Amino acid sequence: MFLAARDSVRDVVFVDGVRTPFGKAKGVYSETRADDLIVRVIRELLRRNPSLPAERVDEVAIAATTQTGDQGLTIGRVAGILSGLPQSVPGYAIDRMCAGAVTAVTTTASAIAIGAYDVAIAGGVEHMGRHPMGEGADPNPRFVSEQLVDLSALVMGQTAENVHDRYPAITKARADAYALASQQKVAKAYADGRIQPDLVPVAARHVESGWELVTADEPPRPETTLEGLAGLKTPFRPHGRVTAGNAAGINDGATGCVLAAADIADELGLTAKMTLVGFGFAGVEPHVMGVGPIPSTEKALARTGLSIDDIGLFELNEAFAVQVLAFLDHFKIDDDDPRVNPYGGAIALGHPLASSGVRLMTQLARQFTERPEIRYGLTAMCVGLGMGATTIWENPHFEGASGATDRTGEAA
């Protein structure tokens, strides 16, 4: 029996989030260890928040999809020790494929809410160039022999083609147009200095050329055109609709954030950037995993008592353009709605699997700071093997009238 039961849960706040610039697989981080990437993130979080004593961190939860090699050995514990945290601070590894960092956040936040922790560091790392998705995996033959899942469920690009089949109104041309917009929004966000404040520079080693200081994301292609996208091959199906241009790449990178109980953040002089309202995870048929954010968002909204019209900002992970467009169609949101991914998304920035969830949160927190008229925002992403993950956050800087926000992001 839990004798110290509380009458109510505590508010949990997102104090700060940072990430490494994302790299292309076999690119800028090809000779950099995965654990060194996440160590750089944790050290930067501590540097940026000097009023947080290292010994006050109660847990380090770090996600990785492929938990082997330099992102194995219980990466949360390894990263904590290597970062210089006291050895009394525990850590663990977590895996929910693309939603690993999201799960690290919701798991530690839940522990903070009930009083088991006061402060936690949560994040994710993925070095897909060194550890491709599924490396060393041995899928049980019952998946196929007992027809538990469609064979295409194990190839993410094929699942995206399946979502196109389910939503015939989402054409390749429409997916390409969405992809182009993502590239353009990222280019503008960089030009306006919106992304750089939350990037931590990384010294990347190269045997032949020496060291390089990485200060910007490697994947964006600002020169992208619709004509160029239209001419790309469809590797997952002849005459298909999914290409390298309207999908996220294979990437390396790490993310992390500091979470705290609201009263502890006040005690330590830490500034709250967001307050957690609620979250939802849901399962769907694995061969159409891209629709996962639809039921996870419906679940999160239902449990928080909010509606989709209450959401003033959306950070949706762009694993594939079709997946985001299916979400928008379901909730009757326009493709170019200004609430959606204002700084662009993973099609341009990259998607290092388990790390991406905290990138979404960090960008949402930055937008909250700049948009005090917005009260609620959410992050959502699809997850391999047929899942969705959604978190809903409240803006502590909110200055508008209480109630919903309209589709332009103005307080109703």
Side-chain angles (χ1 to χ4, degrees):
M1 178 181 293
F2 185 46
L3 298 179
R6 293 177 175 270
D7 292 332
S8 61
V9 298
R10 299 190 294 181
D11 285 340
V12 180
V13 297
F14 183 102
V15 171
D16 199 8
V18 299
R19 67 178 178 90
T20 67
F22 289 168
K24 297 178 180 178
K26 307 298 184 183
V28 69
Y29 297 133
S30 60
E31 298 172 57
T32 300
R33 291 178 60 96
D35 47 16
D36 285 336
L37 293 176
I38 191 62
V39 163
R40 187 72 187 89
V41 165
I42 294 173
R43 287 179 173 172
E44 179 66 7
L45 286 169
L46 295 173
R47 186 196 69 80
R48 285 172 40 141
N49 297 278
S51 67
L52 172 62
E55 64 272 14
R56 291 297 300 270
V57 177
D58 294 306
E59 187 69 272
V60 179
I62 302 299
T65 299
T66 306
Q67 296 188 9
T68 188
D70 56 348
Q71 58 190 43
L73 199 63
T74 311
I75 186 66
R77 176 60 171 165
V78 168
I81 293 173
L82 291 172
S83 301
L85 289 171
Q87 293 189 11
S88 58
V89 177
Y92 65 97
I94 199 162
D95 175 21
R96 201 198 293 257
M97 291 194 173
C98 304
V102 177
T103 307
V105 167
T106 57
T107 302
T108 53
S110 298
I112 291 170
I114 66 167
Y117 307 149
D118 286 336
V119 179
I121 291 175
V125 62
E126 208 76 59
H127 200 307
M128 300 180 74
R130 191 182 296 261
H131 305 296
M133 183 178 179
E135 178 187 33
D138 180 18
N140 194 299
R142 290 180 52 234
F143 277 122
V144 177
S145 64
E146 298 182 18
Q147 299 182 343
L148 298 176
V149 301
D150 188 278
L151 269 177
S152 62
L154 300 178
V155 180
M156 297 302 100
Q158 290 183 16
T159 69
E161 289 284 7
N162 294 340
V163 176
H164 269 290
D165 292 341
R166 180 164 291 192
Y167 294 85
I170 305 177
T171 62
K172 181 179 181 298
R174 187 176 163 198
D176 287 347
Y178 182 88
L180 176 62
S182 182
Q183 296 283 355
Q184 292 172 336
K185 286 191 283 188
V186 165
K188 185 178 187 306
Y190 259 104
D192 293 342
R194 305 297 195 195
I195 292 175
Q196 297 92 322
D198 297 317
L199 298 181
V200 49
V202 177
R205 176 178 177 270
H206 304 284
V207 170
E208 294 187 359
S209 59
W211 292 86
E212 171 187 1
L213 188 64
V214 184
T215 60
D217 295 300
E218 186 179 19
R221 300 181 297 274
E223 73 284 356
T224 300
T225 64
L226 277 179
E227 292 75 18
L229 290 171
L232 294 176
K233 296 180 179 178
T234 58
F236 303 106
R237 185 184 295 181
H239 309 293
R241 292 140 297 191
V242 178
T243 71
N246 58 34
I250 299 174
N251 305 108
D252 308 329
T255 64
C257 67
V258 174
L259 302 167
D263 59 329
I264 300 300
D266 289 341
E267 172 194 328
L268 296 175
L270 300 170
T271 301
K273 293 184 176 179
M274 303 192 294
T275 302
L276 183 62
V277 178
F279 59 88
F281 294 94
V284 297
E285 298 165 281
H287 70 282
V288 285
M289 67 96 192
V291 304
I294 295 172
S296 66
T297 297
E298 290 176 330
K299 184 180 291 187
L301 290 170
R303 288 180 171 174
T304 57
L306 297 173
S307 75
I308 200 69
D309 292 326
D310 290 314
I311 306 302
L313 287 166
F314 296 83
E315 278 293 326
L316 307 178
N317 192 46
E318 298 169 352
F320 302 93
V322 65
Q323 160 252 315
V324 177
L325 293 170
F327 179 98
L328 299 181
D329 281 1
H330 178 84
F331 289 107
K332 297 179 172 56
I333 299 170
D334 293 338
D335 294 7
D336 58 354
D337 191 305
R339 297 176 298 167
V340 178
N341 293 5
Y343 300 165
I347 287 173
L349 293 169
H351 175 31
L353 300 183
S355 70
S356 285
V358 167
R359 176 189 69 78
L360 301 176
M361 296 174 192
T362 299
Q363 290 193 186
L364 180 61
R366 171 81 36 198
Q367 292 155 27
F368 272 167
T369 302
E370 298 168 355
R371 301 287 302 278
E373 76 277 12
I374 301 294
R375 184 171 185 181
Y376 298 110
L378 69 72
T379 73
M381 64 195 319
C382 60
V383 188
L385 291 183
M387 291 179 282
T390 300
T391 60
I392 299 178
W393 302 86
E394 186 170 11
N395 185 358
H397 314 288
F398 176 64
E399 297 176 352
S402 60
T405 52
D406 66 24
R407 292 186 180 275
T408 66
E410 296 295 329

